[in-house]
Amino acid sequence: MPKIKFFIKESWLLIVSSFFFGLLIAGANAAWKDKIDYNLNVYKYNKVAKAVLPEADNFEPALEEVKVKSSTGKELKTSVKKAVDSSGNGIGWAFICQGKGFADNVQLLLTVDMAFEKILGYGVLASTETVGYGDKIKTPSFNGQFVGAPTSEMQLTKTGDSTKIDSEIVSITGATISSRAVVDMINTFIPQVKEQMREKGLIGNE
C-alpha cells in the first residue's frame, strides 16, 4: 500500500496531464476531422487528376452537384470540374464515377474532352480489387483502351484488339467483374452527366 501511495504522489501530475492533453487531442481531432478529410480528399483528387491530365494546371469547379441514377436505381452524386491549362484555356472535364467492383466499391476519376465526345482517360481514386487480377484496372494495358475512346456506350468483350481505340473494351483475364464494373460505371455516368452539363449550358447540344 505505501508503494501505491508513493507512486500516486510522485506521478499524479503526469497522470492528470496525460488525461488533459488526451482530451485536447481528441477534441481537436473531432473539431478538425471534416477539414482534414476534405484536405486529404482534395490532395488525392488533384494528384490523380494531374496524373491523368498532366497538361492541366488547375481543376476549377464547374457543376457542384450532379445526380446520377445507378443501374440498381440508387441515386449517386458527383461534381464536375473544368481542367484548364496554364493560360486558363479549358482542356477537359473531370468527375468522379463510382460503382460496385468484385471486392467493394470502386471510385474512378474520369476525364473527357471539352465537347464531351472523347474520353481523355481515368485514374483510380479508391479500389480494393484483388491484387494481380482486378487491380489491373489501374494498368495502362487496360485503362489505356479508354484514352481517346468515344463517349458513346461501350461494350465489354473477352477477346479482341486491346490496342484499338474504339467502343469495345477487352476485359482483364480472370477479372471480368472488375472490368465490367469500370465499363458499367462509365456507361452510367457519362450520358447522365453530359445531359446535365447541356442543361446548364456548359456544353453544346451537338
Side-chain angles (χ1 to χ4, degrees):
M1 190 68 175
K3 289 184 178 180
I4 295 176
K5 288 182 177 179
F6 178 77
F7 173 78
I8 294 173
K9 180 180 178 181
E10 295 298 318
S11 59
W12 70 269
L13 183 59
L14 178 62
I15 294 170
V16 172
S17 298
S18 298
F19 179 74
F20 177 72
F21 285 112
L23 287 177
L24 282 179
I25 292 171
N29 185 63
W32 289 92
K33 185 180 183 301
D34 290 343
K35 186 69 174 178
I36 292 170
D37 289 345
Y38 174 79
N39 287 337
L40 285 173
N41 289 335
V42 169
Y43 171 78
K44 189 172 184 179
Y45 184 104
N46 289 337
K47 183 179 179 180
V48 173
K50 283 287 289 182
V52 178
L53 285 181
E55 62 271 32
D57 186 66
N58 194 21
F59 292 86
E60 304 172 347
L63 193 55
E64 276 301 316
E65 185 175 274
V66 179
K67 295 180 180 179
V68 174
K69 185 171 288 188
S70 71
S71 57
T72 61
K74 182 179 179 180
E75 185 178 87
L76 304 171
K77 293 180 181 179
T78 190
S79 60
V80 182
K81 292 188 177 182
K82 183 180 181 180
V84 297
D85 61 19
S86 57
S87 299
N89 300 313
I91 58 176
W93 307 101
F95 53 95
I96 296 174
C97 303
Q98 57 181 304
K100 185 70 173 66
F102 175 76
D104 202 348
N105 289 334
V106 175
Q107 279 191 343
L108 305 178
L109 178 58
L110 184 66
T111 61
V112 299
D113 68 348
M114 292 300 293
F116 236 91
E117 295 177 350
K118 183 172 67 175
I119 294 174
L120 300 180
Y122 76 75
V124 179
L125 281 171
S127 169
T128 56
E129 299 300 272
T130 309
V131 176
Y133 292 95
D135 72 337
K136 288 183 179 179
I137 60 173
K138 303 175 183 178
T139 62
S141 60
F142 181 72
N143 67 28
Q145 297 181 76
F146 296 85
V147 180
T151 55
S152 54
E153 186 170 357
M154 296 183 164
Q155 303 294 327
L156 186 70
T157 66
K158 290 188 176 181
T159 59
D161 184 1
S162 61
T163 64
K164 185 179 179 182
I165 304 301
D166 56 17
S167 59
E168 286 194 347
I169 303 299
V170 181
S171 67
I172 301 164
T173 302
T176 303
I177 294 176
S178 299
S179 304
R180 181 165 298 284
V182 172
V183 171
D184 286 349
M185 271 186 272
I186 292 175
N187 281 341
T188 297
F189 274 76
I190 280 183
Q192 296 186 62
V193 173
K194 186 176 183 178
E195 179 59 30
Q196 290 173 68
M197 293 282 282
R198 282 175 174 166
E199 290 174 358
K200 297 294 184 180
L202 294 171
I203 59 174
N205 295 310
E206 296 84 1

